């Protein structure tokens, strides 16, 4: 993994251990170079000008769309809509598809493990349309049984919104099985792929996802760019999410007709440099390979879980199987608030996340107010795991406990 680390300038400072990859990944030089190259060589407003720079910017932008489509195995590039992030993608589906298709008494099913980004938009929908929100309840390790899935999806279900991988427990939900059951009931499936796309190979057609949302910044790309995959027949019938420049076909004083998919969902000047950078991140991920990514994450997770078992006063949440964590290990230190744990570790340049991780219903379900989260990626090392555990072992002493 050291060969890959050399591509990440921020990781050259070996004092730091960056274990907050579930919040955002680091970026290799290939990505930042791509963004710089766009602004230095092709900077113009895409989709508008007929001069050379604008044409090149348009090509960069549309080639990035094709790269995302290939990455997710969409049928065609037009099924990819660029957004700011996963949150905006999910809101697009809720406002555009949800509000136009839900009626009073219809049901939306989400999972108790959802990130707020895949919960609040559906809460909005049920309030506005008089629909009903239901929850999949998981096993203690975060896994979903088929019995639970079938018990919650009924003939009243119109939308099932599920996170592919939990950002707290790291568990991968059975999206393919959920989609099969949902489609049998006539429901559509919306997948939050923010935590899955950086770690596992995704095929939206094989999964049966009707919508799939991702963020560039969690998968080596820049912040402020994300993408939504949607089945073309669904996108075509949906109204625009935002209106304004470039998403129109023709405008009069009284009315307007809209551009075709995907452009009717991309109002205003687009983040062309971000899309270009996101494509560079995808190219880098393909170079590393998901087999290598998963193997490294599982190796690091197994090492960390084994060492945490040896420490007193540590509670780990989720499965005991390292392969079911996607590099995420969530834990608490007895008697220590997670914010204090994070602050003490920060003094030793160890970066972890502390808090509710934008998943408060899940933490309530687990019976805690906050947790610590160490999330690893393929460029992290076993030596970093050992140093992290060494620093963690001294946290209680720093707070005045004997051990």
């Amino acid at each position: 993994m050291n060969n890959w680390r050399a591509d990440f300038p921020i990781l050259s400072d070996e004092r730091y251990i960056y274990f907050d990859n579930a919040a955002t990944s680091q970026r290799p030089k290939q990505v930042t170079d791509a963004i710089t190259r766009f602004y230095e060589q092709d900077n113009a407003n895409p989709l508008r000008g007929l001069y050379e720079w604008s044409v090149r910017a348009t090509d960069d932008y549309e080639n990035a769309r094709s790269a995302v489509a290939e990455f997710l195995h969409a049928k065609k590039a037009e099924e990819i809509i660029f957004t700011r992030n996963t949150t905006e993608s999910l809101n697009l589906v809720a406002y555009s598809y949800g509000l136009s298709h839900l009626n009073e008494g219809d049901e939306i099913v989400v999972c108790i493990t959802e990130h707020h980004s895949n919960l609040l938009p559906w809460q909005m929908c049920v309030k506005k349309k008089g629909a009903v929100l239901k929850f999949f309840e998981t096993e203690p390790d975060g896994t979903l049984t088929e019995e639970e899935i079938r018990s919650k999806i009924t003939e009243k279900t119109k939308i099932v919104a599920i996170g592919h991988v939990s950002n707290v427990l790291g568990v991968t939900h059975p999206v393919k099985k959920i989609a099969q059951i949902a489609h049998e009931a006539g429901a559509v499936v919306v997948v939050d792929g923010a935590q899955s796309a950086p770690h596992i190979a995704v095929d939206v057609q094989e999964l049966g996802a009707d919508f799939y949302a991702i963020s560039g910044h969690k998968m080596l790309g820049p912040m402020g760019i994300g993408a939504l995959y949607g089945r073309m027949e669904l996108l075509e019938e949906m109204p625009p999410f935002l209106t304004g420049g470039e998403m129109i076909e023709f405008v009069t004083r009284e009315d307007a007709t809209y551009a075709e998919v995907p452009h009717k969902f991309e109002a205003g000047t687009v983040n062309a440099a971000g899309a270009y950078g996101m494509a560079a991140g995808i190219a880098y991920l393909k170079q590393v390979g998901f087999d290598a990514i998963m193997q490294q994450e599982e190796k690091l997770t197994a090492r960390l879980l084994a060492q945490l078992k040896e420490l007193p006063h540590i509670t780990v949440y989720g499965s005991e199987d390292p392969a079911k964590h996607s590099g995420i290990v969530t834990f608490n230190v007895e008697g220590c608030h997670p914010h204090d744990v994070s602050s003490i570790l920060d003094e030793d340049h160890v970066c972890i996340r502390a808090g509710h991780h934008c998943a408060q219903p899940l933490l309530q379900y687990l019976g805690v107010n906050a947790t610590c989260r160490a999330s690893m990626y393929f460029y992290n090392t076993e030596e970093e795991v050992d140093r992290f555990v060494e620093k963690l072992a001294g946290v209680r002493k720093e707070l005045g406990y004997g051990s």
Side-chain angles (χ1 to χ4, degrees):
M1 288 303 107
N2 286 333
N3 290 335
W4 299 117
R5 284 177 70 89
D7 290 332
F8 295 79
I10 198 169
L11 299 180
S12 63
D13 189 339
E14 296 184 357
R15 295 176 302 163
Y16 286 86
I17 298 174
Y18 185 73
F19 277 5
D20 195 21
N21 292 284
T24 193
S25 69
Q26 297 302 334
R27 285 113 190 104
K29 196 170 185 300
Q30 289 86 337
V31 169
T32 55
D33 283 351
I35 297 169
T36 299
R37 184 165 59 249
F38 176 87
Y39 281 122
E40 290 184 348
Q41 299 179 14
D42 292 351
N43 185 42
N45 209 321
L47 309 169
R48 303 190 183 196
L50 299 178
Y51 52 90
E52 181 182 355
W53 288 352
S54 183
V55 171
R56 288 211 306 263
T58 300
D59 288 344
D60 292 340
Y61 186 65
E62 293 303 333
N63 288 340
R65 192 190 308 278
S66 296
V68 176
E70 181 183 357
F71 181 72
L72 295 179
H73 293 87
K75 285 184 179 179
K76 56 181 70 176
E78 290 78 11
E79 292 180 316
I80 301 299
I81 299 161
F82 281 117
T83 62
R84 289 186 303 147
N85 43 47
T86 299
T87 300
E88 184 173 288
S89 294
L90 295 169
N91 272 271
L92 190 162
V93 180
Y95 277 90
S96 185
Y97 182 86
L99 293 183
S100 63
H101 285 75
L102 288 169
N103 295 302
E104 186 173 355
D106 287 343
E107 295 178 352
I108 301 174
V109 184
V110 299
C111 189
I112 193 63
T113 57
E114 295 309 316
H115 189 284
H116 295 163
S117 293
N118 201 29
L119 173 60
L120 271 61
W122 309 116
Q123 290 179 343
M124 176 277 300
C125 280
V126 300
K127 289 175 182 177
K128 286 183 177 291
K129 303 300 291 188
V132 177
L133 189 64
K134 296 168 63 175
F135 287 84
F136 293 132
E137 308 288 342
T138 68
E139 299 299 296
D141 64 357
T143 56
L144 271 175
T145 65
E146 183 172 341
E147 180 183 9
E148 173 65 11
I149 296 166
R150 291 190 178 278
S151 73
K152 296 298 168 65
I153 297 176
T154 71
E155 69 279 357
K156 293 183 178 180
T157 305
K158 295 296 181 282
I159 297 171
V160 178
I162 183 75
H164 199 170
V165 170
S166 166
N167 72 307
V168 177
L169 302 177
V171 63
T172 301
H173 289 311
V175 170
K176 185 175 181 178
K177 174 58 67 175
I178 291 170
Q180 174 193 332
I181 297 170
H183 290 157
E184 289 172 357
V188 303
V189 178
V190 184
V191 184
D192 174 353
Q195 292 296 337
S196 49
H199 303 278
I200 59 178
V202 174
D203 185 330
V204 292
Q205 295 185 70
E206 197 269 338
L207 287 172
D210 298 297
F211 298 97
Y212 200 99
I214 62 175
S215 289
H217 75 94
K218 293 183 187 289
M219 41 190 283
L220 309 183
M223 294 183 181
I225 187 71
L228 172 68
Y229 157 79
R231 284 200 293 116
M232 180 58 72
E233 54 267 38
L234 298 178
L235 294 174
E236 287 178 335
E237 68 183 35
M238 289 160 53
F241 178 43
L242 300 171
T243 56
E246 204 52 45
M247 51 75 65
I248 54 88
E249 180 180 51
F250 190 75
V251 178
T252 67
R253 293 191 184 201
E254 296 81 19
D255 205 356
T257 56
Y258 302 119
E260 295 183 352
V261 175
H263 299 295
K264 76 173 180 179
F265 295 109
E266 296 177 353
T269 296
V270 297
N271 185 1
Y276 193 57
M278 186 176 183
I282 287 173
Y284 194 96
L285 282 176
K286 291 168 70 174
Q287 185 180 2
V288 178
F290 281 110
D291 286 343
I293 290 172
M294 293 172 66
Q295 288 171 12
Q296 179 69 358
E297 289 176 351
E298 186 175 341
K299 180 169 67 174
L300 297 176
T301 303
R303 191 178 187 93
L304 178 54
L305 289 175
Q307 293 190 42
L308 290 180
K309 281 186 178 180
E310 301 301 315
L311 288 183
H313 313 295
I314 300 289
T315 300
V316 176
Y317 302 94
S319 175
E320 294 185 358
D321 183 352
K324 295 181 178 179
H325 279 263
S326 296
I328 294 173
V329 177
T330 297
F331 63 94
N332 268 331
V333 181
E334 183 183 345
C336 306
H337 193 282
H339 291 169
D340 293 329
V341 175
S342 178
S343 295
I344 291 170
L345 291 175
D346 177 56
E347 294 175 1
D348 289 314
H349 306 296
V350 177
C351 311
I352 67 165
R353 193 61 166 259
H356 55 66
H357 317 297
C358 296
Q360 286 179 293
L362 173 57
L363 266 62
Q364 293 162 8
Y365 182 72
L366 295 174
V368 293
N369 294 321
T371 62
C372 304
R373 183 185 70 188
S375 50
M376 299 162 287
Y377 209 10
F378 66 91
Y379 44 60
N380 290 122
T381 67
E382 292 175 278
E383 187 269 339
E384 286 182 313
V385 170
D386 297 344
R387 285 172 52 205
F388 166 68
V389 174
E390 177 187 348
K391 301 301 182 184
L392 182 63
V395 164
R396 280 175 54 87
K397 188 174 181 180
E398 287 283 336
L399 290 173
Y401 294 96
S403 60

